[in-house]
Amino acid sequence: MNKVQLPPYDDSIAFENLSKNERLGSYPHLKDSVCPVQTSYAQYTIVKGTPTLVKGQAISDAVADFMKGHYASPPAELFYITEMRDSTEHLSCPMCGSMHSGTLDHYLPQNKFPIFAVFSKNLVPACKCNSKRKETLLGLAPGERVLHPYFDECLGERLVRAHFEDFGEVPKVSLALMVSNTHPHYSAISFHVRSIVQRSAIVKYLADRWSSLFRKPSRVVRAFAANIATQADVQALLEAERDALDDLHKGKNNWNSIFVSGLLDPPVLAWLAGRLSLPGRAPDDPLG
């Protein structure tokens, strides 16, 4: 989960140029769709992609198929699709926070919204978490929707942390929200976490990180190679570690920051501080 910058491309011009390309099979079918497509793109941007507010105009089935085909195999006019995919695949996933993106996918699914199939502001870097959600966009309760990485500013806040129980080598792991139910976007945040983040591999990832920390603390937090005297010192080290991870992964809700946020949960922090200051413990020994 991460707020990312809007793509800088001019889709409107790109689509107009695409419609004039006589060498493509979509010519001249796209020519009559330039106005509705451009108008719909503009309206999408104004309402920030909000699924309940977007009003894509009708296009023919043939044009819809051409739009989806051009996304799958972008012609030169849509160079930005390949450029966006190549430039973001190594970054953390803005949809679930995993440590890579891997591909480019649609925010509004292309089967339901083919008019936005090649629209850069509807194409988000994502790992396979986005394909797992399929066409899920809205929940049943008011305000429940999938967050948009380009438009939802709340994705820049710290939204979720790991929740650990049973502090042995194999803990019980779940996710907990870090915002209260009075947050103006609480319903959307909660729905996004339930619908996308929890359905990813995050819980297994967090459990593996915990097990690594348990067996050899410095593998996960390098400062834990030494014993640490006080809980305040442990907290300060973890907060510094989390700040560094936020900076490295350009956001506060990547899986590594979510893990460290879980270690800062007061019961976990107290347990951890007790283990790291245990009399007679050799530096970097297992925590058990």
Side-chain angles (χ1 to χ4, degrees):
M1 303 172 71
N2 194 16
K3 173 75 172 63
V4 292
Q5 294 293 317
L6 276 167
Y9 309 105
D10 190 333
D11 302 274
S12 189
I13 295 296
F15 186 77
E16 186 170 344
N17 291 337
L18 183 71
S19 73
K20 296 175 181 175
N21 189 339
E22 298 181 14
R23 293 171 297 176
L24 297 174
S26 57
Y27 183 86
H29 305 280
L30 298 186
K31 288 182 66 178
D32 293 336
S33 299
V34 171
C35 182
V37 167
Q38 290 179 331
T39 302
S40 297
Y41 280 1
Q43 196 267 343
Y44 176 107
T45 303
I46 290 170
V47 301
K48 300 182 176 181
T50 305
T52 52
L53 300 177
V54 167
K55 297 176 180 175
Q57 296 188 26
I59 55 175
S60 69
D61 290 344
V63 170
D65 288 341
F66 284 127
M67 298 288 273
K68 290 187 280 188
H70 285 325
Y71 166 73
S73 183
E77 291 81 359
L78 305 181
F79 71 95
Y80 56 83
I81 294 177
T82 302
E83 191 170 284
M84 289 173 70
R85 183 179 290 121
D86 291 346
S87 65
T88 59
E89 62 183 351
H90 63 294
L91 302 177
S92 62
C93 175
M95 297 298 285
C96 76
S98 72
M99 309 317 294
H100 70 284
S101 293
T103 188
L104 200 63
D105 212 342
H106 297 86
Y107 175 73
L108 297 184
Q110 62 172 340
N111 285 333
K112 283 187 176 179
F113 301 90
I115 196 169
F116 302 121
V118 300
F119 187 31
S120 66
K121 295 179 182 64
N122 193 48
L123 298 175
V124 294
C127 67
K128 61 183 179 182
C129 70
N130 200 52
S131 58
K132 279 185 176 180
R133 81 171 164 109
K134 298 181 180 177
E135 297 187 351
T136 299
L137 270 176
L138 300 170
L140 297 176
E144 288 189 338
R145 63 177 174 83
V146 172
L147 297 171
H148 199 311
Y150 294 137
F151 295 109
D152 279 304
E153 296 294 337
C154 64
L155 283 167
E157 303 172 30
R158 204 173 300 286
L159 301 178
V160 63
R161 64 169 172 82
H163 177 67
F164 298 110
E165 299 175 81
D166 303 335
F167 305 151
E169 184 171 354
V170 182
K172 183 178 178 182
V173 184
S174 58
L175 298 178
L177 296 185
M178 296 187 73
V179 294
S180 76
N181 58 9
T182 60
H183 190 290
H185 301 295
Y186 179 84
S187 295
I189 294 166
S190 177
F191 180 75
H192 185 102
V193 171
R194 296 196 314 272
S195 303
I196 294 182
V197 184
Q198 284 185 340
R199 295 173 66 182
S200 70
I202 187 171
V203 170
K204 291 180 180 176
Y205 181 86
L206 296 171
D208 284 348
R209 295 288 286 176
W210 176 280
S211 294
S212 294
L213 178 80
F214 190 92
R215 291 193 295 270
K216 192 174 181 64
S218 66
R219 284 180 182 161
V220 180
V221 180
R222 278 182 292 180
F224 286 175
N227 286 342
I228 301 167
T230 70
Q231 181 169 322
D233 289 338
V234 175
Q235 180 173 347
L237 288 170
L238 287 175
E239 288 175 345
E241 176 80 9
R242 188 175 62 178
D243 288 346
L245 291 168
D246 292 348
D247 187 53
L248 176 65
H249 300 297
K250 300 179 174 61
K252 297 178 179 177
N253 300 292
N254 67 83
W255 288 5
N256 285 341
S257 292
I258 289 172
F259 175 79
V260 177
S261 290
L263 299 184
L264 284 162
D265 187 30
V268 182
L269 181 62
W271 176 85
L272 195 54
R275 295 292 171 163
L276 290 170
S277 62
L278 202 64
R281 174 182 179 268
D284 218 14
D285 258 6
L287 297 174

